[in-house]
Amino acid sequence: MDGQYAHIERRRQGPKRSDASRDAILQAVRDELADNGWRSFSVDNVARRARASKQTIYKWWPSIGALCVDASLCLIQDRPVEINRIEDHLAHIIWPLEQALHSTKDTYVLRAALLAAADDEKAGEELRQWVKTEIRTPLRMVLADLSNRKTIHRDWDIDSIMDALLGPFWNRLFIMNSPIPRGFSAELATQVFKKLKR
Amino acid sequence: MDGQYAHIERRRQGPKRSDASRDAILQAVRDELADNGWRSFSVDNVARRARASKQTIYKWWPSIGALCVDASLCLIQDRPVEINRIEDHLAHIIWPLEQALHSTKDTYVLRAALLAAADDEKAGEELRQWVKTEIRTPLRMVLADLSNRKTIHRDWDIDSIMDALLGPFWNRLFIMNSPIPRGFSAELATQVFKKLKR
Amino acid sequence: MDGQYAHIERRRQGPKRSDASRDAILQAVRDELADNGWRSFSVDNVARRARASKQTIYKWWPSIGALCVDASLCLIQDRPVEINRIEDHLAHIIWPLEQALHSTKDTYVLRAALLAAADDEKAGEELRQWVKTEIRTPLRMVLADLSNRKTIHRDWDIDSIMDALLGPFWNRLFIMNSPIPRGFSAELATQVFKKLKR
Amino acid sequence: MDGQYAHIERRRQGPKRSDASRDAILQAVRDELADNGWRSFSVDNVARRARASKQTIYKWWPSIGALCVDASLCLIQDRPVEINRIEDHLAHIIWPLEQALHSTKDTYVLRAALLAAADDEKAGEELRQWVKTEIRTPLRMVLADLSNRKTIHRDWDIDSIMDALLGPFWNRLFIMNSPIPRGFSAELATQVFKKLKR
DNA sequence: TATTAATCGAGACGGTACGTCGAGTCTTTAC
DNA sequence: GTAAAGACTCGACGTACCGTCTCGATTAATA
């Protein structure tokens, strides 16, 4: 059971930060969130599971929520997507989110991490930073390119488009507790594209 | 300061449930959520503020999250809206949500209550029941009417439309922590209507 | 199980104190003390067991400890004892106490009641009143008679003699938690008598 | 000293038990018992007074009664006593108890602690262990010496003698709520000695 | 090579809150 | 008027975590 937490077999302890310890903590966070959710998440349990000291956790992360966000957002990894139509450029940006939410375990982890972020200022900043680099910036580039090529109107509002692309995920994840079907991101992208097409 | 909690000056309670106590608790929940948010929300503080016993709280509400949802959703009250265009029938349904989110205090309260619901099964059920009666059913009636009158296509999916109408609120409320501008719900309704128009 | 609490079959409820209710409460106190001891004794449990209202209990007894003493001391009933020797007159006074402490259940009840009395001023007064009428006064009469008949010295101190006759019971009951053997009171009486004999 | 098996006895990692905390708790227990008695004794109050955490109290003492016994029995300290007569050897053993009960404050504390012990199995064991080492064993040594020197009969029963020496204290402390006069232990010792003298 | 300093595990500590239980007060309803 | 039933406030229970701290062990960089 504990074997998955790699650093346990390690002997090194010294004046350099232990990557093994870091990895074990992040993995333990994900496992705890998947098993128990955000409500009964506790630093003590993470430390016990990772065979790490609470001190080590508090030393390297500014808040518990930030730790959760840090541990979880890596689940939304860049994934290859086939691009056949113009609107697939939009879909490509939110496709990793759909992918992550197809996994039940990852769904639990992400929901918990996003709740943590909504509850904790530092974690919120970390989340918004992620949104900026992973969603907003790529989205802006795609939209700028399309409008430059006169494929879409020029008067788009990036925040409204993000609302339209991301919001439906949150409505299912937080409010309705209903699953994300396959093709969800493609459908969203299509609708947004229709709205923008000249 | 405590004078606002009416039941304090009220005559002693009897063997039937005390409405005064109930109201004081719900008001205290709202005040606590507005003042301290969900993170540092505690039953002890609510009980202290409402001059109520924790036992009374636990007796009448199945979970803390459910108490928060119960206390908060009344903030999204039915409000009059001028109906000039066809799409205003859609806007009318989410207009109360926008209205509530124009108030900073109510925004805190609602965010906290929705977080509580996302974290707690019983509270989630209570929230979804509210969505069903306040959003889904009215929305279905409006859409059915419009499609009967051949104003919109007949092949609408109610869940996707709810995603499009509600999701943007959650993206600003939970994720981006950005304000809801005036006219937000009208804009959403317009976009959805365009998509559905034959 | 509940059948033993007589008042349950009763119908009369009116402007006279219900003896059936009183008896049911006293019996329930004894049963509770026997089953759960003084530590986890509670008025709620007594009321539930006796199918009585807490209000009735608080109405008729000045304190919970007093209720326990009231309920329990009747277990130390006057019992016949053969009187062959002069010292048996002393033994006769404490013999009912020994008798009660030969019963395991009654031992629990009495220990609990005496603890209650040690902890509660009103119950303590009730206990001391009982000691006065059941122990001190009879003892003084016996001793006065014996000293008048010049069987014992005249300079006895009633309190020290009570210490010598009762104290050993308490040492076994409260401190050592050891049993009271048969003949315990007779042995105590013999020793006291030896000390007093001229 | 650094033998090859040294690692077996290697000391535990981490902080050591705080003596300051321990002492503050024990003092707070004595103060609480003196001020409020056993009836309204509470762990919360002890923790508040000692500026200690309840967790710390529950960690180091098996039960609340045991904590009271632990905090209180040290009040019965060994005290010098002049030994002029043979029976003073007996008096010497219970003299510290009399001394403690001359102090009003210590009387409250000890009564409460002994009540706690009578009510709680673990505390009772702790008390009986104290009786064994502080009363029973010394008493046995004195009695054995006296009977070896043919000063007293050989057929003494140690438990009965303890009853005679300790019981009178309990009768005054728990039942009669009457004071312990000076010379009480000497008088008890004299009576017991008379009874044993050959 | 020995010393220093950063790091880690373990976990004790003062606190705050949890969810439950009981005390004692009060009100309603039934007889 | 008395009693059963039970809702209410208050406060304590024993447990769980939080975030801080200290202790002893380990190891890399410095002296």
Side-chain angles (χ1 to χ4, degrees), chain D residues 10-11 13-16 42-45 54-55 58 64:
Chain D
R10 189 165 46 166
R11 285 163 62 196
Q13 281 184 347
K16 296 294 174 294
S42 85
V43 181
D44 275 352
N45 285 341
K54 284 202 286 179
Q55 187 96 340
Y58 286 110
I64 305 309

Side-chain angles (χ1 to χ4, degrees), chain B residues 12-15 42-44 54-55 58:
Chain B
R12 281 292 131 192
Q13 63 279 4
S42 84
V43 181
D44 276 353
K54 283 201 287 179
Q55 192 144 48
Y58 285 111

Side-chain angles (χ1 to χ4, degrees), chain D residues 154-174:
Chain D
R154 308 199 75 94
D155 57 343
W156 40 269
D157 171 31
I158 185 94
D159 288 317
S160 296
I161 292 171
M162 287 216 305
D163 288 343
L165 287 175
L166 297 177
F169 284 100
W170 316 143
N171 193 49
R172 302 204 170 206
L173 192 59
F174 298 140

Side-chain angles (χ1 to χ4, degrees), chain D residues 89-156:
Chain D
H89 287 101
L90 296 176
H92 175 255
I93 293 167
I94 53 174
W95 167 246
L97 180 56
E98 177 189 330
Q99 278 289 91
L101 295 178
H102 284 158
S103 152
T104 306
K105 178 176 170 178
D106 290 356
T107 297
Y108 279 122
V109 175
L110 284 171
R111 173 157 55 188
L114 296 177
L115 288 177
D119 220 22
D120 170 15
E121 197 45 51
K122 286 172 187 163
E125 277 310 314
E126 195 168 336
L127 170 60
R128 281 186 284 282
Q129 189 58 42
W130 179 89
V131 170
K132 198 174 166 187
T133 56
E134 299 295 324
I135 306 285
R136 200 176 216 279
T137 301
L139 187 58
R140 183 182 288 280
M141 289 174 63
V142 168
L143 292 170
D145 182 56
L146 291 178
S147 53
N148 279 340
R149 290 192 282 133
K150 300 190 196 311
T151 310
I152 63 172
H153 292 292
R154 308 199 75 94
D155 57 343
W156 40 269

